[in-house]
């Protein structure tokens, strides 16, 4: 809305303004200023009796101040309201609400609900039926019904991490109305077009409503990331926005798989610019750890861009059968390969031409791909390590040439059986003409690529015909002979180009298709490199949902009704109702599916040619000026009182010191009153002394639940564990600290104990977000339901009240997959050797972050867990077992009564603390001999 209209809630009060002239006349009269007379009483009495004083007139500016005071009070009582809600409905048909609930509505969803509820209230008061449809829901029951039913549907709705499918919702609405013309049709839109040439507003107008009302939110919050590319020296991020009215600079954050921020950058927009490219500068190794990129302060699914293995830059080794010619680089076998892959991969070349020594050295650097250009014979001792590297997931790409054409036919590092020699196409001694390429098959990495029309092949090595040759051929010539063949070997593969890597056998290396073909093959390789100890990984054709993205941009393990993702080689997958945004696959490998397709652009909703009544969301724009006017009136009254006191000489009779003190007191009181926010004792943050004390000492911390008995047990329990740590270890913690997670600083504490109580108030969303940020930053939270549960899902019986409360809390946290502590985990040996973790009870396991590697661990090696788990969950009531009174006597008995169980509970607490403070230090000790040997010691 362009103007700022306002209205008075009680306009009749404005009639009091006509009394201002009378007030002016009355306020002009003031008593005379008191005079100081020399005592005697008789003289004063005589003066009073003989002269009758008349009132003097007040100064004009004082009268004006009092008039303004009276006017402010009258206007405040009349209650002026700016941007008042004018949601009077048009009669003649049902109220129809067409509500967007896609990803862009997440920031202001509560205001959208309030706006829709206000419209439903108006319809309820008018006795009109209400129809409601949501554009991001797969199905809609939009038949007009009662206002109560519409409220229930509205309360059950929530924003979805999807682009609205308005056409589907409109078809459901039109079928439900069945020709009935709406009275008021309110379109609560997110402001962005769902697709090009969208006609949603025109389609709604075709329903012939008496009034078509378009209600939009704040377009500044509609910002999305639509692409990320891992360039040679930085990661480039493409972002788009809906509001282009002003310049903006948005901070970017890159996070790893654990949700920790590890790099930052920014993207800038100029006025009128809807799409821009930013960057995040980081080393190659760090960029390969990126799991997602997000725009700070924009909690939507669109502002988060998920990354998978295809994003990571591969380490590629380049080997050639001949030395590089520095004077004629265009004839070098590796020249065109380097130019093709340099923007997409980190290239490594051997330091020595001796392949017997250089290949083992290169394999120790964990490459993802090895490219051999015209290498026919390899040293015998290199075949075994190369075959082992391929079987463990490596990708070997070979190019033909004179050397390979003359190599033995039994070479194990070629995908097909080759004929001796080479085939010449064209020339004086050949009847055949140079061959173009045939269409790429609908399988393999080249599926979907257009057939190059300017590429011709003049020489090639031929493959012996075999029954499976067609299945192994990714590209062929027009005459059907193979151009690119492949052979899978366990988790890896061998790929052979039947032409040379330079332009002597064909012009393929100097075409743009060569770059795309190499890039696609490299992207098929395993990211992060391959070692000789890497295990095989198999990829399923249908990828099950692994972790999904919520509308607020938070990852969750709740997959709901999501279906497996079926990869399509011809086109990139698009998020929909069956496949919402998230990660599809497993721990071993996954594919990222984002809200918006690559390089999408946010555009305003098209309303051209349609008459609409525009309105804003309630709650944020409508505001009353009454508080401000009453504040102005009070300040004017205070000023008037001080002026009168000065004029009457009240301050002149004070001593100078007392006068200065009074002025200072008045100034302080005015400053406190005019402070922008209330100052309360419990709002103050720890001072510098307290911060230094918390940093200089290790404190055990617990969450204050608000229940006196639970908090007392938590405090005494951590006090008991503190005494045990001081007595049994070199760690001497300071007294435990109770935390209000909504306000207190959490970063001072390595672990926070949280006793779950179903009767305690549910933490606010802001408090849970602070806990989530604390866990992302490296902190650990120990949740204790104190009910001796045995499984997180409690599938064997009814869920306890505390367990249900824990699930409600965890539903809002971005937690990793969990598992009970394995027998070889560092937690079992960080200080004491333990096989279980009892507390007051002994029936619940201790749950921690699941290992990234799901394969069985080698019993001779250390546990594969790396770092510290951000979450621990138990039901054994640790604090109840640790709690002691002032005399050191246990406060609660163990169940069953057993002091040995209490001893093991203390030992469990010691192991947890040592694990928090040392991480996988104990596990790494098994590698010390190997490290010393490697260092030559």
């Amino acid at each position: 809305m362009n103007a700022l209209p306002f209205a008075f809630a009680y306009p009749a009060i404005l009639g009091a303004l006509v009394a201002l002239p009378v007030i002016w006349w009355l306020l002009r009269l003031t008593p005379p200023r008191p005079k100081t007379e020399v005592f005697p009483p008789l003289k004063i009495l005589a003066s009073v009796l003989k002269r009758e004083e008349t009132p003097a007139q007040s100064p004009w500016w004082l009268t004006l101040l009092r008039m303004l005071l009276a006017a402010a009070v009258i206007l405040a009582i009349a209650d002026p309201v700016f941007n008042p809600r004018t949601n009077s409905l048009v009669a003649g048909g049902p109220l129809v609400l067409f509500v967007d609930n896609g990803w862009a509505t997440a920031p202001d969803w509560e205001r959208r609900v309030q706006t829709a509820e206000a419209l439903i209230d108006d319809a309820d008061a008018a006795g009109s039926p209400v129809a409601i449809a949501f554009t991001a829901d797969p199905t809609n029951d939009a038949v007009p019904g009662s206002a109560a039913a519409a409220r229930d549907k509205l309360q059950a709705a929530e924003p979805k991490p999807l682009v609205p499918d308005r056409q589907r919702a409109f078809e459901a609405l039109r079928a439900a109305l069945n020709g009935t013309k709406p009275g008021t049709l309110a379109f609560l839109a997110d402001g962005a077009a769902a697709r090009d040439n969208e006609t949603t507003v025109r389609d709604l107008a075709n329903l012939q409503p008496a009034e078509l009302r378009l209600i939009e939110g704040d377009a500044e919050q509609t910002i999305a990331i639509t692409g990320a590319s891992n360039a040679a020296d930085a990661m480039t991020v493409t972002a788009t926005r809906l509001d282009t009215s002003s310049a903006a600079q948005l901070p970017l954050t890159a996070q790893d798989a654990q949700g920790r921020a590890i790099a930052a950058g920014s993207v800038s927009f100029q006025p009128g610019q809807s799409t821009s490219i930013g960057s995040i500068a980081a080393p190659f190794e760090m960029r390969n750890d990126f799991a997602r990129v997000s725009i700070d302060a924009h909690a939507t699914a669109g502002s988060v861009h998920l990354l998978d293995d295809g994003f990571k830059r591969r380490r590629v080794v380049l080997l050639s059968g001949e030395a590089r010619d520095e004077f004629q680089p265009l004839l070098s076998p590796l020249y065109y390969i380097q130019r093709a892959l340099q923007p997409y991969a980190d290239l490594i070349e051997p330091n020595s031409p001796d392949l017997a020594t250089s290949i083992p050295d290169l394999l120790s650097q964990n490459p993802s791909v090895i490219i051999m250009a015209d290498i026919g014979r390899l040293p015998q001792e290199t075949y075994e390590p190369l075959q082992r590297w391929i079987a463990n997931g490596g990708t070997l790409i070979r190019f033909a040439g004179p050397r390979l054409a003359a190599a033995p036919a039994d070479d194990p590092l070629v995908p097909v059986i080759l004929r001796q020699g080479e085939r010449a196409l064209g020339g004086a001694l050949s009847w055949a003409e140079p061959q173009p390429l045939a269409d790429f098959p609908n399988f393999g990495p080249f599926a979907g690529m257009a057939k190059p029309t300017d590429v011709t092949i003049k020489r090639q090595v031929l493959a012996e015909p075999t029954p499976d040759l067609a299945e192994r051929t990714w590209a062929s010539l027009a005459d059907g002979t193979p151009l690119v063949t492949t052979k899978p070997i366990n988790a890896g593969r061998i790929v052979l180009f039947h032409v040379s890597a330079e332009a002597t056998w064909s012009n393929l290396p100097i075409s743009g298709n060569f770059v795309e073909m190499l890039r696609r093959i490299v992207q098929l390789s395993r990211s992060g490199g391959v070692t000789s100890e890497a295990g095989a990984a198999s990829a399923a054709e249908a990828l099950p949902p692994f972790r999904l993205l919520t509308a607020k941009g938070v990852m969750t393990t709740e997959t709901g009704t999501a279906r497996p993702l079926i990869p399509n080689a011809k086109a990139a997958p698009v998020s929909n109702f069956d496949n919402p945004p998230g990660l599809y696959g497993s721990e071993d490998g996954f594919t990222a599916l984002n809200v918006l397709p690559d390089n999408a652009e946010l555009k305003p909703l098209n309303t051209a040619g349609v008459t609409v009544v525009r309105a804003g969301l309630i709650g944020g724009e409508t505001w009353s000026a009454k508080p401000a006017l009453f504040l102005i009136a009070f300040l004017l009254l205070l000023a008037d009182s001080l002026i009168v006191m000065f004029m009457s000489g009240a301050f002149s009779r004070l001593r100078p010191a007392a006068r200065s003190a009074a002025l200072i007191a008045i100034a302080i009181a005015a400053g406190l009153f005019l402070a922008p926010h209330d100052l309360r004792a419990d709002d103050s943050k720890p001072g510098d002394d307290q911060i230094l004390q918390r940093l200089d000492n290790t404190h055990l911390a617990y969450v204050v639940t608000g229940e006196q008995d639970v908090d007392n047990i938590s405090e005494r329990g951590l006090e008991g564990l503190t005494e045990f740590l001081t007595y049994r270890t070199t760690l001497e913690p300071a007294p435990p600290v109770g935390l209000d997670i909504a306000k207190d600083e959490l970063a001072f504490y390595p672990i926070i104990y949280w006793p779950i109580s179903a009767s305690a108030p549910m933490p606010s969303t802001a408090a849970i977000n602070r806990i989530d940020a604390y866990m992302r930053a490296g902190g650990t939270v120990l949740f204790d339901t104190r009910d001796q549960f045995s499984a997180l899902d409690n599938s064997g019986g009814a869920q306890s009240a505390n367990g249900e409360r824990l699930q409600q809390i965890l539903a809002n946290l971005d937690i990793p997959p969990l598992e009970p502590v394995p027998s070889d985990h560092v937690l079992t040996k960080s200080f004491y050797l333990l096989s279980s973790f009892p507390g007051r009870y002994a029936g619940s396991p201790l749950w921690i972050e699941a290992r990234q590697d799901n394969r069985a661990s080698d019993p001779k090696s250390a546990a594969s867990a790396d770092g510290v788990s951000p979450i621990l969950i138990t039901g054994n009531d640790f604090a109840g077992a640790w709690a002691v009174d002032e005399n050191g006597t246990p406060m609660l008995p163990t169940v069953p009564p057993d002091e040995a169980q209490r001893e093991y509970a203390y030992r469990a607490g010691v192991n947890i603390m040592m694990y928090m403070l040392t991480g996988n230090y104990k596990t790494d000790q098994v590698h010390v001999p190997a490290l010393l040997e490697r260092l030559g010691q």
Side-chain angles (χ1 to χ4, degrees), residues 101-102 134-140 160-169 548 559-564 574-581 584 593:
N101 61 328
F134 298 95
T135 60
D137 286 357
T139 59
N140 280 286
K160 304 294 179 61
L162 297 169
V163 176
D165 190 347
R166 295 176 179 139
Q167 186 61 35
R168 176 186 293 206
L548 299 182
T559 58
T561 59
R563 297 183 178 181
V574 179
S575 60
N576 51 46
F577 298 113
D578 294 332
N579 299 122
Y584 289 80
L593 182 60

Side-chain angles (χ1 to χ4, degrees), residues 218-223 240-248 269-274 602 604:
D218 185 6
E220 293 183 358
Q221 297 293 324
T222 309
I223 301 174
T240 179
R241 62 174 181 168
L242 186 59
D243 183 9
T244 62
S245 59
S246 60
F269 291 90
Q270 298 299 324
Q273 186 180 13
S274 62
L602 293 176

Side-chain angles (χ1 to χ4, degrees), residues 494-844:
I494 301 174
V495 179
L496 173 63
F497 281 77
H498 290 242
V499 294
S500 63
E502 18 71 40
T504 56
W505 284 28
S506 71
N507 62 349
L508 176 64
I510 60 177
S511 69
N513 298 87
F514 185 71
V515 177
E516 181 65 14
M517 293 170 73
L518 273 183
R519 188 186 68 84
R520 292 195 179 198
I521 296 175
V522 169
Q523 289 298 101
L524 289 178
S525 65
R526 175 175 294 187
S527 63
V530 181
T531 65
S532 59
E533 291 80 16
S538 59
E541 291 191 7
L543 303 176
F546 175 45
R547 304 188 76 183
L548 299 182
L549 199 64
T550 67
K552 294 185 177 181
V554 178
M555 297 297 293
T556 178
T557 56
E558 296 292 333
T559 58
T561 59
R563 297 183 178 181
L565 179 67
I566 300 177
N568 185 357
K570 296 183 178 180
V574 179
S575 60
N576 51 46
F577 298 113
D578 294 332
N579 299 122
L583 303 177
Y584 289 80
S586 64
E587 290 279 357
D588 294 330
F590 47 77
T591 295
L593 182 60
N594 290 290
V595 178
L596 297 176
D598 290 343
N599 301 320
E601 182 180 354
L602 293 176
K603 298 179 180 179
L605 198 63
N606 183 16
T607 60
V610 181
T611 302
V612 297
V613 177
R614 294 185 177 270
L617 300 176
I618 67 173
E621 298 179 355
T622 300
W623 59 280
S624 172
K626 178 192 290 187
L629 290 172
F630 271 127
L631 176 61
I632 293 173
F634 176 79
L635 294 177
L636 293 175
L637 178 62
L638 181 62
D640 181 81
S641 301
L642 293 176
I643 291 172
V644 171
M645 292 177 66
F646 272 106
M647 292 178 63
S648 63
F651 291 98
S652 62
R653 293 190 292 271
L654 296 176
R655 295 180 180 180
R659 188 185 310 150
S660 300
L663 292 175
I664 293 174
I666 292 173
I668 293 175
L672 292 176
F673 181 79
L674 296 177
H677 56 79
D678 296 336
L679 297 178
R680 298 181 299 177
D682 56 354
D683 286 341
S684 60
K685 295 183 177 180
D688 293 341
D689 295 338
Q690 186 176 0
I691 292 176
L692 292 176
Q693 181 183 4
R694 299 283 170 83
L695 292 176
D696 290 342
N697 299 278
T698 300
H699 294 263
L700 307 185
Y702 65 93
V703 174
V704 176
T705 63
E707 296 186 343
Q708 184 63 35
D709 54 344
V710 175
D711 295 340
N712 183 54
I713 293 298
S714 298
E715 181 182 9
R716 299 312 307 170
L718 296 188
E719 182 66 35
L721 180 59
T722 297
E723 295 177 1
F724 191 86
L725 286 165
T726 303
Y727 179 69
R728 297 288 183 91
T729 72
T730 57
L731 177 63
E732 297 181 0
V737 177
L739 298 177
D740 182 349
I741 58 176
K743 294 184 295 184
D744 292 336
E745 179 58 57
L746 308 180
F748 300 145
Y749 314 100
I751 185 171
I752 298 175
Y753 177 76
W754 191 336
I756 302 300
S757 175
S759 56
M762 178 68 182
S764 65
T765 302
I768 294 179
N769 289 340
R770 297 185 81 238
I771 284 289
D772 191 44
Y774 165 78
M775 295 167 64
R776 292 176 189 272
T780 297
V781 180
L782 171 56
F783 293 94
D784 194 342
T785 59
R786 304 173 294 120
D787 57 2
Q788 199 178 189
F789 72 92
S790 59
L792 283 179
D793 57 1
N794 203 10
S795 57
Q799 181 69 275
S800 67
N802 289 355
E804 292 177 353
R805 174 55 59 86
L806 175 63
Q807 289 186 349
Q808 294 173 3
I809 295 174
L810 297 184
N812 297 315
L813 292 175
D814 187 12
I815 63 172
L818 303 177
E819 67 177 354
V821 175
S823 59
D824 59 348
H825 195 274
V826 66
L827 259 174
T828 63
K829 53 193 173 185
S830 59
F831 195 86
Y832 293 104
L833 294 178
L834 298 177
S835 59
S836 62
F837 298 86
R840 188 164 172 249
Y841 308 106
S844 170

